[in-house]
Amino acid sequence: MVRLTSCPSKGCRLRRWIRSLAVAGLLVALCAPSFADAATVRVAVAANFTEAAKAIAAAFAAKTGDTAELSFGSTGTLYTQISQNAPFEVFLAADDARPKKAVAEKLAVEGTVFTYAIGKIVLYSADPDRITGAETLKAGDFDRIAIANPMTAPYGAAAIAAMKALGVYDALEPKLVQGTNIAQTFQFVATGNAELGFVALAQVAGNESGSLWELPTDLHPPIRQDAVLLETGRDSQTAKAFLTFLKGPEAAAIIRRFGYDTGD
C-alpha cells in the first residue's frame, strides 16, 4: 500500500489552495449578516431635509439592509397627499403642526410623534458681498427676494414672521417671489433669479461661496420638525425600525452635521 502524505506538484498545490478559498468564502457567508428579508419603508420628507434624509437612509440601509424610499416636497403638499391616501408610512415634516394634525385626523398613529430636528433659517445670496445682516433687508437695494410658500412651507412662514419682527415686511412684500418649497427657493437664489432669499441653513452648510446671515431665533417661532408613524405603517416593523433609527445617535450626528439642532 502506498500512503500519500504530501502533494509536491504545482497542480496539486493549486487544487488545495482553491479548496481553502472555497472554505474561507463559505465561512464568511455564514458569519455575515443576512439581509435576505430586507424590506422597504416609504417616507415622505420635507424638502429642506433632503440631503440629511438621504444620508440617514444610506446609514439605515447599511445597518439593517432595509431601504428607505424617500419622497420630497413641501410639508403642506405632502400632507395633502397623505390625506388623499398616498402610500407613505412615515412622515418627516418641517413643522410640528401637521404631524399632530395627522394624528387628530386619524391619519397617523397616536403616541408616535417626536421632534427629529430643529431647523435654522438664513438670509442667503450667491453674491459674496451682498449679505451683511438685518441691514441688508432694511436697505432694500434689491429687486427680488425669495421665500418658500408660507402657506405650505414652514420655512416660508418663518421668513414672513422674521420680516415682520424686523419691521420690513410691508416694504419688501412687493419684491417677494415664492418657491413652491424651500428647495425651489434655494434654486431661485443660486441661479440669480432672486438676488437673495430665505433658505434653510442645511442647504448652505459647508458652502464657502456666497454670503449669509443666520437669523436670530427670537425673530420667528422655533422651526420644530416632527416625525410621525402614519396609519399605513402601523403594522410595518420596517417603518418602526426607521423611526427608532432616526431617534438614535447615528442619525443625530448626521442631523447636526447638516446644520440642524436635534430634538433631544
Side-chain angles (χ1 to χ4, degrees):
M1 177 183 294
V2 177
R3 185 182 299 275
L4 297 177
T5 58
S6 64
C7 187
S9 71
K10 290 184 179 179
C12 187
R13 288 198 300 272
L14 179 61
R15 287 193 296 273
R16 288 169 57 188
W17 180 68
I18 292 173
R19 284 197 299 270
S20 297
L21 286 180
V23 171
L26 178 60
L27 289 174
V28 169
L30 290 173
C31 295
S34 174
F35 294 149
D37 297 326
T40 297
V41 54
R42 290 162 294 188
V43 186
V45 184
N48 72 282
F49 203 64
T50 295
E51 297 307 319
K54 289 177 181 177
I56 289 170
F60 175 69
K63 185 170 184 177
T64 67
D66 294 331
T67 299
E69 183 181 290
L70 309 176
S71 297
F72 303 100
S74 70
T75 293
T77 298
L78 291 173
Y79 189 85
T80 297
Q81 293 172 359
I82 289 166
S83 68
Q84 295 173 349
N85 301 314
F88 303 127
E89 297 163 292
V90 170
F91 182 26
L92 306 188
D95 65 11
D96 58 358
R98 287 179 180 86
K100 293 181 179 66
K101 184 179 179 182
V103 171
E105 295 184 351
K106 309 299 183 184
L107 298 171
V109 180
E110 188 172 0
T112 64
V113 176
F114 67 94
T115 299
Y116 66 92
I118 299 174
K120 299 176 183 179
I121 187 170
V122 299
L123 182 66
Y124 173 73
S125 174
D127 180 346
D129 300 317
R130 168 71 70 172
I131 306 296
T132 58
E135 297 78 13
T136 301
L137 294 172
K138 294 175 180 178
D141 58 345
F142 48 84
D143 295 322
R144 291 179 298 278
I145 179 170
I147 64 168
N149 183 348
M151 299 301 295
T152 59
Y155 280 78
I160 295 290
M163 285 186 284
K164 288 182 176 179
L166 290 168
V168 299
Y169 178 72
D170 290 341
L172 296 182
E173 184 180 13
K175 302 181 180 185
L176 296 179
V177 291
Q178 289 187 12
T180 55
N181 54 50
I182 200 70
Q184 187 180 59
T185 304
F186 176 76
Q187 286 302 313
F188 286 164
V189 182
T191 57
N193 288 310
E195 293 104 309
L196 64 164
F198 292 96
V199 302
L201 174 61
Q203 293 172 294
V204 294
N207 186 349
E208 297 181 359
S209 62
S211 55
L212 63 85
W213 172 53
E214 184 176 338
L215 273 63
T217 56
D218 60 358
L219 291 180
H220 59 83
I223 306 175
R224 301 186 69 88
Q225 302 196 191
D226 281 7
V228 68
L229 178 67
L230 298 172
E231 278 294 340
T232 47
R234 175 184 284 272
D235 298 322
S236 170
Q237 294 305 312
T238 309
K240 294 174 184 177
F242 180 80
L243 287 172
T244 298
F245 185 82
L246 185 62
K247 294 178 183 179
E250 189 172 351
I254 294 171
I255 290 167
R256 287 190 290 268
R257 190 174 82 233
F258 278 89
Y260 299 89
D261 287 333
T262 52
D264 51 17

